Amino acid sequence: MLSVAVVGSGPSGVYTAQALLRQSLVPDVRVHVLDRLPTPYGLVRYGVAPDHEKIKSLQNSLRAVLEDDRVAFVGNVGVGGPDGVSPARLAELYHAVVYCVGASADRALAVPGEGLPGSYSATRFVSWYSAHPDVGADPFARDALEARSAVVIGVGNVAVDVARILARGADELRRTDVPPAALGALERSRVRDVHIVGRRGPSQARFTTKELRELGALPGARVLVDPAELALDPAYTAPEEASGAPVLPAVVRRNLEVLRGWSADGGPVGEASCGAGAARRIRLRFFLRPVELLERGGRVAGVRFARTAPDGAGGVLDTGAYEDIEARLVLRAVGYRGVELPGLPFDPVRGTVPHAAGRVLRGGSPSPGEYVAGWIKRGPTGVIGSNRSCAKETVASLLADAPALARRTAADDPLAVLRRWGLRPVEWSGWLSIERAEAELGHSLGRGPVKIPDWPGLLAAARDEDR
């Protein structure tokens, strides 16, 4: 039997397990999918917006893999951290270990004032309303949502997600799994203006058309786009049929069509009220580069932007003009970055683990039995489905090494060893107990399942397996 540990139960980890199950070169394989959290599914559970039910339903296909008899979910087991197991010790328990730990850090703006109260990473905001236990119940409930104006820096899908949640009425989120504290804070939110700001033009924005159109469908919200900023983008103003005009990707063409409609009239306002009798406004801004977060009264009061313009080579240059946007809440959504896992080699420039076709490289040479897949392998690129091909490449390398790996020593019962080392794994039955507890919590609130947002609550539910 080939015994493999997959570290991380998000899409890349589960797709790695799935690829191992579907291969035929090694007929007898056992896979343990480890996760630091007591819950599976990674960013599908804690990163996908709660109102994106279709994407969140991906949990069903991930679940089918984790319920296979050859797979075991092993939650509440950290790897590489002070309270977890080191990669060296983990390698003693399995023939091979595949690290699928993602890219959990946010890229910094690296501008003055970034650390002021009221300035947060978008990931922290997402983790809050998604009930990630590391964040807790109410870091945004105290004063952040007292702001009348918010700035979201970045023009990707994460930026659009957080802007949409800020502008969406709490009544619409009540049917989702948003925890009570977050739902209550969003219901009391005074945010009325949400600015989504990018340093480049609309043709270079990273959001998808579906995400963009969802902004215009929000009840009680109006989307505003400055036609003068759109006109700065050569791709926006040049007709594609003109001689020498660039052929734009389909998603860019569709995005520009949506923005063109909004620049004409700001788009319709939905019939539903968004609270306090005033419509919320979502302003899409382009060609503005953040240079400083402004302070007043000990917290962020706004953002100073440098006006940029296309440089003719796909980038932008500063024009010398500046604009301040008032905001007491700033959310930074400018990308992710991999975090070093103690005990594994790490490239601090790329934010990834050095590898060759998924084989971890130590000192430039493949390290027997150590592999990577997902964002920690290739960087934070692609969509959820991109992890399938990435996982398949890594598994192909692992299978090519399988004859040598099978000669290594592996533990007969890795979970028993982990327990002897002082860890308390949460197995699949514990996760099912958490699911039942979340269903009961939602029922008590007159809602569907509602997430438990804290470590003590999750672990207590996981241990109560006889309910």
Side-chain angles (χ1 to χ4, degrees), residues 85-86 88-93 414 416-423:
V85 57
S86 69
R89 296 194 81 184
L90 191 63
E92 299 172 8
L93 306 183
V417 178
L418 291 173
R419 291 188 180 97
R420 287 202 301 271
W421 290 348
L423 299 170

Side-chain angles (χ1 to χ4, degrees), residues 48-53 56 129-130 164-165 173 176-178:
V48 174
D51 56 347
H52 276 177
E53 292 91 349
K56 289 177 75 67
Y129 64 64
S130 297
R164 190 180 67 255
I165 295 299
L173 293 172
T176 73
D177 58 9
V178 172

Side-chain angles (χ1 to χ4, degrees), residues 1-4 23 26-32 69-71 93-96 402-403 405-414:
M1 174 184 288
L2 186 69
S3 176
V4 181
Q23 56 79 33
V26 181
D28 194 9
V29 62
R30 175 185 67 187
V31 184
H32 283 181
D69 291 340
R70 295 164 291 174
V71 177
L93 306 183
Y94 299 91
H95 294 117
L405 296 175
R407 293 193 291 269
R408 294 158 55 99
T409 301
D412 292 332
D413 188 350

